[in-house]
């Protein structure tokens, strides 16, 4: 999993039907410096610090109901008491 | 998922039969700087801003009909009101 | 698999129910310089040197009991007699 | 998928029996600068420009006949009229 | 697949039971510069040049007997007549 901060929101009205309805948030990762668009089932806001999962496990979360889901990144937690990323040594 | 811009089109007449017919577009990602060739089921054009999925979830979209599909990246949305990538902080 | 050092602990009380209960540790990889949050089934502590697995195999470890688990990284061993990473040539 | 150029050929007589017989070519990617060894079902030669797939979808191509195949990259097309990579903007 | 050189050996007596017994070798990749710990079913030694597979296909090699295996990288061949990596152009 990766930690990061929500920095934006994607608006895409022209989309495949297999992209589930719901919020798509841009998350800037702490390490490495990168931005990933994540499906958000938790109602997070801009500036919120989150933990995400990327790849096949993100799709499996949807799989029982939506086996052809095209999501590959998912917000899985909002972080408490965690204002800044742990610095690398 | 990743956001990016369509910058080219691949022409490949000599191909495996498991590569589905249809457009193959070069998408330059916003973050990190990279170019990925994506199968395009949406009819996008050069310069269009898009969202893509990469890896196993892209192949699963084809799987019910084509279990041996060799595609690993897929355009899943065209972006509205989104002229430039959200800058990293 | 990757080797690294435990550098922190994640506290996330607001989380998806599919994130298994248990410790979530920040592991700084030896190569490349990156930090990954790993589920820890072994009771590791800050500063401990560990080996981890990342991606679908980490989720499969949970799969018989939790097919929708959203974990994508797992501590799989604690390293002995291994104080520093092997230097690259 | 990724585009690149064939730059070498791997010779490995001591190999696992689950590595399918056939050519193994070194492909230098256009983006990012990296070299990936790909199984070649198409008979490509040094200098040829190709498109490849990487990861689980490459293994699934072999799966009906070889479920334990250990290949993770596959040449899927030879490119026409495409002498140089599309430059990044 | 990736090519590289064996540079070390991991000793981990405290490990998950789903990590298969057998040698775990550190392989320094030719491209990109990185070190991956690989399960070695072939009896390779320090300094030997090898080819490896990374990710889900490495786990599938173990899967019929060990569906919860936590290995994600595997040595699949030892290279002949191949003293140095093919240089990038």
């Amino acid at each position: 999993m990766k930690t990061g901060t929500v920095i934006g929101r994607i608006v895409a009205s022209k989309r495949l039907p297999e992209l589930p309805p719901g919020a798509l948030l841009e998350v800037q990762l702490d390490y490495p410096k990168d931005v990933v668009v994540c499906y958000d089932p938790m109602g997070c806001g801009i500036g919120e610090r989150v933990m995400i999962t990327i790849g096949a496990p993100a799709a499996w979360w949807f799989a029982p109901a939506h086996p052809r889901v095209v999501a590959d990144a998912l917000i899985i937690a909002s972080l408490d008491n965690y204002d800044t990323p742990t610095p690398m040594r």
Side-chain angles (χ1 to χ4, degrees), chain A:
Chain A
M1 290 77 77
K2 289 286 187 176
T3 54
T5 304
V6 178
I7 62 165
R9 189 174 290 275
I10 295 290
V11 180
S13 52
K14 185 180 156 197
R15 52 206 274 173
L16 292 188
E18 291 84 7
L19 180 60
L24 292 165
L25 301 183
E26 290 176 297
V27 176
Q28 180 177 319
L29 306 187
D30 297 331
Y31 306 108
K33 277 291 174 211
D34 191 11
V35 176
V36 176
V37 179
C38 300
Y39 183 84
D40 173 24
M42 303 187 66
C44 296
I46 305 288
E48 192 162 344
R49 289 201 36 79
V50 295
M51 184 166 62
I52 70 169
T53 191
I54 302 177
W60 291 329
W61 185 75
F62 294 94
H66 301 92
R68 289 179 69 204
V69 70
V70 290
D72 62 13
L74 183 69
I75 294 176
I76 60 176
S78 171
L79 303 183
D80 320 329
N81 303 322
Y82 187 78
D83 294 324
T84 56
T86 303
M88 288 213 271
R89 291 175 177 182

